[in-house]
Amino acid sequence: MRAESTPCTPYAHHPAPIPFAEPWQYELAFPCDPRSPRIARTTLRAILGAHELTELSYRAELLTSELTTNSVQHTKGPAAVRLQWRHPVLRISVWDMSPDLPKPYAPPADPHAEAGRGMAILELVADRWGGCAIGEGAYGPGGKTVWFELGLGA
């Protein structure tokens, strides 16, 4: 005897996509691991693609890579990346457990140095950026947040 199959029905309970101009936010926590910046970039690319913001992807990936790499190289604990869309501005923040804010860019003594240009890249590529130290609180370590903004069409 053959069992009768029922046709697959699409899920009727999916929410409607968030309208383009409505705000949204995503956050990715990651460990102090050298693979974390790549994972953050890949996640960021997927989110921006899903929200049809691919024109911001290159700059967002470059700057997120710089900030997450700094977190992994210069701190010992976990970190997080937060993406916030406030039409027409994308703000990306990177939090880590170190309270030390990055130093302003100063050209390296050796022009052939392989490191030390992250803050210059941030200054040149971001539309706006900043950072703040966060004090120790009742809910755990404070650390710092460094953020940047990219405007759509900028």
Side-chain angles (χ1 to χ4, degrees):
M1 176 166 214
R2 210 169 131 191
E4 290 203 23
S5 64
T6 57
C8 292
T9 57
Y11 292 104
H13 301 293
H14 280 278
I18 297 171
F20 187 73
E22 289 296 313
W24 49 256
Q25 174 175 294
Y26 292 86
E27 188 166 337
L28 172 68
F30 57 90
C32 186
D33 182 288
R35 296 170 286 204
S36 294
R38 180 172 42 101
I39 292 167
R41 284 191 311 273
T42 302
T43 302
L44 180 136
R45 187 178 315 120
I47 292 168
L48 295 180
H51 284 279
E52 299 179 3
L53 291 168
T54 54
E55 82 174 62
L56 299 176
S57 285
Y58 178 76
R59 293 190 305 151
E61 286 180 54
L62 174 66
L63 297 176
T64 300
S65 184
E66 288 295 328
L67 295 179
T68 55
T69 298
N70 285 349
S71 289
V72 168
Q73 287 181 343
H74 302 295
T75 66
K76 301 293 183 222
V81 175
R82 176 180 290 161
L83 286 75
Q84 296 173 294
W85 174 246
R86 301 288 184 264
H87 186 285
V89 175
L90 175 68
R91 176 179 274 208
I92 298 178
S93 307
V94 176
W95 167 85
D96 63 44
M97 293 183 66
S98 170
D100 302 325
L101 289 170
K103 307 272 187 275
Y105 175 71
D110 177 5
H112 303 291
E114 292 184 19
R117 293 178 181 84
M119 297 313 294
I121 293 170
L122 186 62
E123 183 68 36
L124 290 169
V125 175
D127 295 333
R128 284 181 16 150
W129 72 275
C132 60
I134 305 165
E136 185 87 19
Y139 299 107
K144 72 169 169 305
T145 298
V146 178
W147 57 268
F148 63 87
E149 292 181 346
L150 303 173
L152 194 59

